[in-house]
Amino acid sequence: MMLRAIDIFGQDLRFAWRGFLRAPGFLAVAIATLGLGIGANSAIFTLVNAVLLRPLPYSDPERLVRVTADFTALNVPDIGISAPELFDYRDRAQLFDGIAGVFPINANLTEIDEPERVEVLLASPSYFDVLGTKPQLGRLFGPEDNAPGITEVVVISDALWRRRFGAAPDAIGRKLRIDNDWYTVVGVVPKGFRHPGRSVLTDVDVWAPTNYSASPFPAPPQRGGYFMTGAIARLKPGVSIAEAQQRLASFGAQLRAEYPVDYPARSGWAPALVPLQDDLVGRVKPALLMLFGAVGFVLLIACANIANLLLVRASGRQRELALRRALGSSRGRLLSLLMTESLLLACLGGAAGACLTVWLVDGLVAFVPAGLPRASEIVVDGRVLFFTAAIALATALVFGVLPALQSARADVHDALKEGSRGSVGGRRIVRSTLIVAEFALALVLLVGAGLLLRGFWRLQQVEIGFQPNHVLTARLWLPQPNIPSTGPYARHEPRVALYEEVLRRARTLPGVSAAAAVIALPFDGSRGNATITVDGRDSDAVSRVPTVQTNVASTGYFELMGIRVRRGRTFTDQDDQHSAPVGVISQAMAQRHFPGEDPIGRRIHFGGAQSNNPRITIIGVVDDVRNERIEDQPRPMLYRPLRQASNLSLSLVLKTDGDPRQLGPALAREVRAADPDQPTFGVKTMDAIVASATAARRFATQLLGAFAALALLLAAIGIYGVMAFVVGQRTREIGIRIALGAQPRAVVRLILGQALALAVAGVVLGGAGAIFLSRLLSGMLFEVRPTDPMTYVGIALLLAVTAGVAAWRPARRAAGVDPMIALRAE
């Protein structure tokens, strides 16, 4: 029985293949349509699989979480944790099997031909044990590395091992000079290992153990010092995420009661726990799922087109199928034959889609925005190939069943009659229904793309507060050894001297019209958060609650960046350490702390009313600058002059007359001339930094727009095919109409009217789906309502025009029918 079934299937397969070879045009169109739909779905699945579905490459990843805290009353999320809180979670919470604080920093790797900047992760000695990681070479951290400050041993990445030591096994025990301290390399992490969290700019190169309780950290540790980005922890076995969150909240309440001064009610401090997988990919998950759903719509439209092609093909095979029935074939046997044809077509389309997937994934990897989590893991693997095969088989059912059922149940006697239409009327209804479905799906995608595009366009029109064109930026990170006071730049004076020398040299470069410096650039760099008090106001209640962001800028920074001065003045060379402390505030800070007042000349200081910190005189008010995200309202900002408040980290800013990208190597040489051990890094144009702030939105908008355009094209092809077939089937009727006096214009209106009716039906049907999708997109929209009428009306008109254009050629062909030829043909 099994052998008989296999033999029949083989016969059907050979017959299907010979039939397709007799219709090469049909075969090419069908394979191209299916290949495009399947390939696009597989490519997006590759992205979703790597970022969302694949478990994190650590031991028992479902038990891993990141612990941080929020200022709930101030609506400030994810502030990180302090060292005492880390110790409390480790020793008192009774919630974790292990916990490790993490603190990413920049550092300078010297004593080599070209000093380079590396990313260092300062972590608790338990870090690798919490993740369950084994070394590739040597060892990882252990109890012997537990010291109050930074232990002078390091574990390095596979990339640094190959770059610095040529992958030599004797790298273990070798020394690295990092920020003027010597460290012994004790291990190398596996090649694919990456820190499961935020780093400064790129991947971590060096891991160093610390217990956060001695120099260079504050000693004794301070509860208000939220310098750690959080802690990675492993839940105890059997503790669910929900239970852990509840228990951590109770423990947070206990800490607030024990330390009311450190956790004032006004801040609403509360510990927070996030599953590590969600922490890494939670921000991109909605966009990726939206794209996955959108590309699924494209495949459904492709399947509807193939179903229509099969219905058209079946109309020309009515006599063949009727003869098979007359000679004894059952309907089940005919259904098996037709489904075998659909299966063969799906396999050919799936093979084309698999080939296309590899090419599309390469393009996606180059196209994805910087910072997409787990982007390095995007590969076409076995799961992707299985998905491709699965959707290929699924498409065979989706587009094959309906045409097969229609053809297998055709009436034998009617089909054998000369000139009979058979079940043409039934098939016409099915084809029209498929076209309506295609237009409905296309409308949903086009509305989604249109809303995102309008929101993105509005985002581009937002006033960011500065002029980014013709500006080159580069970052410096001065070395800070483990005993900060021993470093060459431990004091303010040598830092300022180096910065001034670098700026002097930069201004002499050809094509540079101005040079300045700032600690944190817009969209690129973390700003400090501080509590400020206005002199003469009682503000003890807000002590320890950050209310403003802080930054440090050199003379000429505001002018170079085109940041408008609203009141007062900006910094000059006279605003140095020998003069009274001054500050420039943003418009948002002026409105928040000096509503209805003139802030010029007012004095403020860091901390509460009883603080002895120096008083800062406000000398100017400047425009707000969008620092975090373009879509977020600017937060209050206080700028200090570089000559009064230098820092180990700095960004150089150069205004150029030509292409700023050409000045990167020359600027690096000038920095090295000022200090041979000082590398530059993060060399970017300000235009590129601004573009990166919208990269994720641009990526989602462009992909959804591409899918919507493809859906529109497929819908247009579908309606063209249906109208062409309708004209062919109604040739005799159209000939009679023309013979009886119908004008060609009336015939054109008839065909176009049918096409537009299908499009209108699709628009009406797709409207509800579009409203549902647009509400799902509401979190990704900017200043655009999900039910924006302009978008809906515009897309509806576009679909109507598309239907008209697609039906125009069949309509013209119908208007040109010769009545005598049509009647003789019948």
Side-chain angles (χ1 to χ4, degrees), residues 383-590:
R383 183 182 290 185
V384 173
L385 294 178
F386 177 80
F387 174 82
T388 304
I391 61 171
L393 293 177
T395 57
L397 294 175
V398 173
F399 70 72
V401 169
L402 189 58
L405 289 174
Q406 283 278 329
S407 300
R409 71 184 181 203
D411 187 89
V412 176
H413 300 290
D414 289 342
L416 290 174
K417 289 179 182 178
E418 185 68 27
S420 172
R421 293 290 179 268
S423 58
V424 168
R427 289 200 183 97
R428 183 183 302 164
I429 294 173
V430 173
R431 285 193 297 271
S432 297
T433 302
L434 289 173
I435 291 300
V436 169
E438 286 187 48
F439 270 84
L441 292 172
L443 175 79
V444 172
L445 288 183
L446 286 165
V447 166
L451 290 171
L452 284 180
L453 186 60
R454 289 204 66 200
F456 187 74
W457 181 83
R458 286 182 177 273
L459 195 65
Q460 298 297 99
Q461 309 310 308
V462 170
E463 179 59 54
I464 59 177
F466 62 94
Q467 300 297 323
N469 51 304
H470 293 286
V471 175
L472 180 73
T473 72
R475 297 186 66 177
L476 303 180
W477 187 282
L478 305 186
Q480 175 177 290
N482 292 341
I483 302 177
S485 60
T486 65
Y489 299 108
R491 295 182 301 109
H492 171 75
E493 292 80 0
R495 291 198 295 265
V496 172
L498 175 66
Y499 295 150
E500 293 287 352
E501 176 63 12
V502 168
L503 290 176
R504 185 191 69 78
R505 289 176 173 273
R507 294 184 185 109
T508 65
L509 291 173
V512 173
S513 57
V518 68
I519 285 183
L521 288 164
F523 310 120
D524 187 42
S526 59
R527 278 145 288 279
N529 292 285
T531 298
I532 65 105
T533 298
V534 179
D535 273 10
R537 295 182 187 170
D538 182 8
S539 56
D540 284 341
V542 300
S543 179
R544 298 176 180 266
V545 179
T547 57
V548 300
Q549 290 186 325
T550 60
N551 207 343
V552 173
S554 73
T555 303
Y557 171 75
F558 299 103
E559 292 76 11
L560 186 154
M561 292 288 285
I563 301 174
R564 186 176 56 169
V565 181
R566 288 179 170 267
R567 296 181 187 176
R569 66 174 179 88
T570 58
F571 306 134
T572 67
D573 289 343
Q574 284 68 49
D575 296 318
D576 58 18
Q577 59 182 328
H578 302 297
S579 61
V582 295
V584 169
I585 66 174
S586 67
Q587 180 69 7
M589 182 170 171

Side-chain angles (χ1 to χ4, degrees), residues 151-168:
T151 308
E152 293 184 347
V153 298
V154 293
V155 172
I156 62 175
S157 68
D158 176 83
L160 183 61
W161 177 47
R162 297 177 186 279
R163 187 168 73 243
R164 179 69 179 87
F165 298 107

Side-chain angles (χ1 to χ4, degrees), residues 28-47:
V29 170
I31 291 178
T33 302
L34 278 177
L36 196 58
I38 292 173
N41 273 267
S42 296
I44 296 299
F45 177 79
T46 304
L47 189 63

Side-chain angles (χ1 to χ4, degrees), residues 284-305:
V284 300
K285 186 175 181 178
L288 290 182
L289 292 180
M290 179 269 295
L291 290 174
F292 194 39
V295 78
F297 278 19
V298 173
L299 184 59
L300 287 176
I301 294 174
C303 288
N305 262 357

Side-chain angles (χ1 to χ4, degrees), residues 771-787:
I771 292 174
F772 176 75
L773 174 67
S774 62
R775 295 197 183 280
L776 293 180
L777 290 176
S778 59
M780 301 176 62
L781 301 179
F782 180 74
E783 294 185 355
V784 176
R785 290 181 299 166
T787 55

